[in-house]
């Protein structure tokens, strides 16, 4: 059976959609990419060929443009220990972009595709919106001082990364209620909590919230965030064990 557009169900021809915006990655010089599905890193672009040209060059491109503007203005600047930084954004565009990245990533791994796919129309919508059954948190990540045990010297390690995947919360399991996604961009960490159904036990979700790094993403698009909730070596989560090229 022929593929259809992952966003609007249009028939072929289909184009390549970058999991992360191409211009976004080039701004950050993220030369090495990791594929969870293949369990390896490589230097090429992460793409998926299931989006029509109308979606790719229209609403999805507009979301990527806002993300690139945020990168130039905020994400390209690292946040130091103890610092509080201003963050201004368009709430509707940013939320739709975070959902787009999460949906793209899910399709590349085959994980939670159907649930994230229910936000296809939200992602394509061209007016500010608050997605139903989605909560978003934002936190910052500080650099870590790491010691080389062989030389005894220390080095400041910055959180230079663009990562998207399930949010891992040690000791807390609400996977039967929620799908979690974490989108990390250098010093910024966005956590999405997406309910599987509308009828959930709020007490269990409430017990989870204190474990989510950061604060809820503000609707008005203007926040001060910090001090950082995580150091880089914790946010990177075992980067030394990542598969190599």
């Amino acid at each position: 059976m022929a593929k259809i557009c992952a966003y609007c169900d249009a028939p072929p021809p289909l184009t390549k959609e970058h999991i992360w915006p191409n211009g976004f990655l080039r701004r950050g010089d993220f030369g090495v990419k990791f594929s969870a599905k293949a369990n390896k890193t490589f230097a090429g672009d992460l793409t998926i060929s299931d989006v029509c040209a109308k979606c790719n060059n229209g609403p999805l491109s507009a979301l990527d443009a806002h993300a690139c503007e945020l990168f130039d203005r905020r994400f390209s600047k690292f946040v130091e220990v103890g610092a509080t930084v201003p963050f201004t954004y368009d709430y509707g565009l940013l939320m739709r972009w975070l959902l787009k990245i999460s949906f793209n990533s899910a399709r590349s791994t085959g994980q939670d595709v159907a649930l994230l796919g229910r936000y296809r129309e939200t992602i394509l919508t061209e007016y500010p919106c608050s997605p139903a059954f989605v909560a978003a948190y934002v936190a910052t990540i500080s650099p870590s001082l790491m010691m080389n045990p062989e030389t005894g010297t220390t080095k400041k390690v910055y959180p230079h990364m663009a990562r998207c995947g399930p949010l891992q919360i040690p000791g807390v399991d609400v996977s039967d209620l929620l799908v979690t996604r974490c989108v990390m961009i250098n010093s910024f960490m966005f956590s999405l909590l997406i309910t599987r159904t509308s009828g959930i036990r709020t007490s269990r979700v409430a017990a989870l919230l204190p474990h989510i790094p950061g604060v809820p993403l503000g609707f008005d698009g203007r926040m001060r965030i910090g001090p950082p909730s995580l150091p880089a070596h914790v946010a990177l989560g075992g980067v030394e064990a990542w598969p190599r090229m």
Side-chain angles (χ1 to χ4, degrees):
M1 185 170 63
K3 280 186 177 180
I4 58 175
C5 177
Y7 284 91
C8 73
D9 294 338
L14 302 177
T15 62
K16 287 185 178 180
E17 160 75 352
H18 285 80
I19 305 302
W20 290 87
N22 194 34
F24 187 90
L25 292 177
R26 290 181 179 176
R27 278 172 165 79
D29 190 25
F30 301 106
V32 177
K33 289 87 174 180
F34 173 65
S35 168
K37 188 174 185 179
N39 193 35
K40 66 180 181 180
T41 54
F42 56 95
D45 290 342
L46 287 169
T47 61
I48 187 165
S49 302
D50 63 355
V51 181
C52 72
K54 182 178 179 180
C55 288
N56 208 349
N57 299 326
L60 300 185
S61 179
L63 298 182
D64 291 344
H66 184 58
C68 289
E69 188 268 329
L70 288 178
F71 192 96
D72 292 338
R73 182 162 44 83
R74 182 66 269 172
F75 298 150
S76 59
K77 301 175 177 66
F78 291 105
V79 180
E80 297 292 337
V81 174
T84 299
V85 297
F87 181 44
T88 57
Y89 51 93
D90 182 294
Y91 178 83
L93 291 175
L94 178 56
M95 280 294 294
R96 289 165 56 207
W97 183 76
L98 293 173
L99 286 168
K100 168 187 177 285
I101 294 296
S102 298
F103 184 39
N104 282 353
S105 175
R107 298 199 316 283
S108 72
T109 62
Q111 186 178 26
D112 298 317
V113 177
L115 187 139
L116 285 161
R118 75 189 187 191
Y119 294 100
R120 298 184 308 163
E121 185 176 352
T122 298
I123 294 168
L124 295 178
T125 301
E126 296 185 13
Y127 56 84
C129 57
S130 181
F133 310 119
V134 180
Y137 280 64
V138 57
T140 50
I141 303 166
S142 65
S144 295
L145 283 177
M146 306 289 286
M147 185 180 74
N148 185 325
E150 296 180 359
T151 64
T153 59
T154 58
K155 178 182 179 181
K156 185 180 282 191
V157 177
Y158 285 90
H160 183 219
M161 58 187 165
R163 301 175 68 184
C164 179
L167 176 66
Q168 303 296 330
I169 307 171
V172 179
D173 183 13
V174 289
S175 57
D176 58 321
L177 299 178
L178 299 172
V179 165
T180 60
R181 276 295 182 279
C182 180
V183 180
M184 291 186 184
I185 309 153
N186 290 340
S187 284
F188 274 71
M189 172 180 175
F190 299 92
S191 301
L192 298 181
L193 311 179
I194 307 168
T195 61
R196 293 189 180 275
T197 65
S198 57
I200 64 172
R201 292 175 56 186
T202 55
S203 59
R204 287 187 61 195
V205 176
L208 168 70
L209 297 183
H211 299 275
I212 306 300
V215 295
L217 187 67
F219 291 102
D220 63 357
R222 186 177 297 274
M223 303 178 68
R224 291 196 66 85
I225 306 172
S229 301
L230 295 170
H233 71 278
V234 173
L236 289 168
V239 66
E240 70 281 352
W242 284 11
R244 301 299 178 188
M245 289 180 63

